Amino acid sequence: MKMKRISFIPLRFLALCCFVGAMIITAGCLGQSAQTEDNVQEDNIQTLIVAGPADFDSRIEMKMNVYDVFLDINANGKTIPGHLVSSWNESDDGLTYTFQLNKGIEFHDGTQWNASSAAWFLEWCSQGPRKNDIAFSKISDVSEVDEHTIQVTLKEPYGAFIKSLSSESNSHVIAPTSVEPAWSNDGEIVSFIGTGKFEVENYVKAQSAEFVRHDPASGEGTLIDRISYRVIPDSYASVSALRAGDVDIIGVADHHSTVPYEQIPQMMNDPDIIVEKQSYGRYQVVELNCKEGALSDIRLREAINLGLDRDKMVKELLASAAEPAYSVVSPAYPWASNLAGTEYTYDPEKAKNLLDQAGWVVAGADEIREKDGQKLTLTYIVPQGEANSDSIAVYIQSELKKIGVEVDILVLESGAAGEERQKGNYDMYLHHSWGVPGLPEGPLTGKYHSTWGSWPVSYHDAELDQLIETAIATGADEDYSAAYLYIQEKYACMPLYDIEKIAAYRKAVKGFTFSASIYGLDLSTVSIEP
């Protein structure tokens, strides 16, 4: 197929071009050099230079230095009290939640965090730009009990309501004065005002953002005082900028994998660079059309899963920088522990037998299987921008051909790909699944429930709907495990590998730690050695 010409060679050439362009843009719009010993010592101010692939306002990660989330999470995705809320309780009927707010907190402009601003925030979420979020659409009333207590009443019970309040994307708390008109329940955000450790000093769309520590004393004189965020769209260019010392840290400003895996060994061998990685349970997967076409037959779904050598894939294509995925979600989590022992293992002979049983036999010299005069050809849609998508697509194409399955690769712009997904015009579709905090609910409600999700040809049936609804209602690990085991046994998707988040930074950067959430980012504990 002509799609086999896909390779990393043109990407490296493009990276060089993008790097030159990105550096020119960065220098021109910011008018400042990268971190040097001289500028740190002269001003006694530490500035951390962060590179990311997209506009500050389009990604939540950098915003998490400006805002706090209503509730927090731990590493297993369980909701816990955080900076803003000290505790909560739920009524027996699941309709009323009472939240105790932490005291002594204010927004960057001096507005107090209290029952008035907390109640306004949840009312704004339910009536304003976030009202289409399923959790906020359930809110019927928000009332102030006392100065630091609010009560929320739902229209109907919703088991995932508390978990939704720990979502960085939809539950990061903004000041009532940051919308126009101020304190209006449907106002549009016009400024970045939160309760986080840093406040936004300057923002140039699609180019840069400058942050200053809100309370200088909190830096204790040893931690960074400022953050300078620079947009470098090309991932190879960002690696080059880090190795040249033009930026301090990369890979942290996006929940997508933005550090090329093939570059990791080189960076790990660089004595001036530290590389760390963290799993959030977010898998790169190939979603399957389980409703129409050849893959509506479970035997074919099982066959293509058994025909893929995931170990070889991550070793040869990803420089062993990722872990292969053998199940729809990781059995390491307590809410998916019963998936242990059900992993999809590489077994090409069994895959061929399954295809034989389904009536697909090798008939021609090309060794592609046929049935009733029709070749076994699968359309594989790859949205542009998915990490490592080019090489992975060609690898899957090559592996499945060994068992007699032809794969036509169709690379589409992400919007066009999404339209085809909604229409069900695919057999296979590359997609990154949810990670903490979107687990365990995300894949269940987003893909595998017949009416809640936005994947019309993913695997659906009434029994699975009931399992999902029970899990959401109870929040119990065993109920989530039951739903995921059912999906695993139906071979509903083709898991590929764990999209671990990669952070790479200069050796002089100290104190960086990963957050519990894939969307989280706290740079307030970072310092830079001269």
Side-chain angles (χ1 to χ4, degrees), residues 42-57:
E42 179 183 349
D43 299 326
N44 199 28
I45 291 177
Q46 292 191 33
T47 301
L48 182 74
I49 303 178
V50 182
D55 176 55
F56 156 72
D57 196 27

Side-chain angles (χ1 to χ4, degrees), residues 321-355:
E323 294 296 327
Y326 307 102
S327 51
V328 293
V329 290
S330 172
Y333 290 107
W335 39 262
S337 58
N338 62 353
L339 296 188
T342 69
E343 292 86 354
Y344 303 156
T345 55
Y346 181 52
D347 191 341
E349 292 308 312
K350 183 176 180 180
K352 293 175 183 177
N353 289 335
L354 286 165
L355 294 171

Side-chain angles (χ1 to χ4, degrees), residues 75 77 124 206 306 351 422 463 465 484 510 517:
W124 177 81
L306 301 185
Q422 288 290 342
E463 184 175 352
D465 280 355
Y484 277 118
K510 306 295 182 182
S517 162

Side-chain angles (χ1 to χ4, degrees), residues 358-526:
W360 294 93
V361 298
V362 176
D366 61 2
E367 298 187 340
I368 298 301
R369 293 174 179 269
E370 296 182 10
K371 181 178 181 180
D372 301 328
Q374 179 182 354
K375 285 185 177 295
L376 181 49
T377 302
L378 304 178
T379 299
Y380 180 22
I381 289 183
V382 179
Q384 288 179 344
E386 286 284 351
N388 309 292
S389 59
D390 294 348
S391 59
I392 294 294
V394 174
Y395 178 81
I396 291 174
Q397 181 187 64
S398 175
E399 286 289 285
L400 296 191
K401 186 175 181 180
K402 294 176 184 177
I403 61 172
V405 179
E406 183 178 51
V407 176
D408 280 344
I409 303 170
L410 182 58
V411 180
L412 296 176
E413 181 274 326
S414 59
E419 292 177 3
E420 295 304 301
R421 174 174 65 82
Q422 288 290 342
K423 297 174 184 177
N425 292 338
Y426 65 91
D427 297 297
M428 306 164 66
Y429 190 104
L430 183 67
H431 185 251
H432 51 270
S433 192
W434 282 257
V436 173
L439 293 173
E441 300 88 357
L444 300 181
T445 59
K447 289 182 180 177
Y448 298 120
H449 191 282
S450 63
T451 59
W452 292 353
S454 58
W455 291 73
V457 297
S458 288
Y459 188 85
H460 302 132
D461 68 28
E463 184 175 352
L464 179 56
D465 280 355
Q466 185 58 56
L467 288 170
I468 292 172
E469 290 166 15
T470 299
I472 295 299
T474 67
D477 287 343
E478 58 267 27
D479 290 329
Y480 279 115
S481 288
Y484 277 118
L485 180 60
Y486 191 88
I487 294 168
Q488 177 83 356
E489 292 174 340
K490 297 298 183 180
Y491 297 90
C493 70
M494 179 188 289
L496 300 178
Y497 60 91
D498 186 347
I499 311 176
E500 294 177 304
K501 192 164 187 175
I502 307 296
Y505 51 89
R506 295 193 310 115
K507 188 177 180 180
V509 173
K510 306 295 182 182
F512 170 77
T513 58
F514 286 103
S515 297
S517 162
I518 193 172
Y519 301 102
L521 179 62
D522 180 6
L523 297 175
S524 66
T525 60
V526 170

Side-chain angles (χ1 to χ4, degrees), residues 160-233:
F161 180 69
I162 288 294
K163 180 63 178 292
S164 298
L165 294 179
S166 66
S167 165
E168 288 91 348
S169 297
N170 290 329
S171 295
H172 62 278
V173 177
I174 67 170
T177 51
S178 65
V179 301
E180 182 64 40
W183 291 88
S184 61
N185 289 345
D186 59 354
E188 293 291 333
I189 298 175
V190 294
S191 58
F192 306 111
I193 306 175
T195 56
K197 299 289 179 60
F198 291 86
E199 55 184 285
V200 178
E201 183 180 64
N202 187 47
Y203 166 57
V204 180
K205 186 175 179 61
Q207 294 183 1
S208 64
E210 304 295 320
F211 309 82
V212 61
R213 191 178 285 270
H214 175 61
D215 177 10
S218 67
E220 301 175 346
T222 60
L223 304 179
I224 60 170
D225 305 283
R226 305 177 62 87
I227 302 171
S228 179
Y229 176 69
R230 302 179 179 183
V231 177
I232 302 180

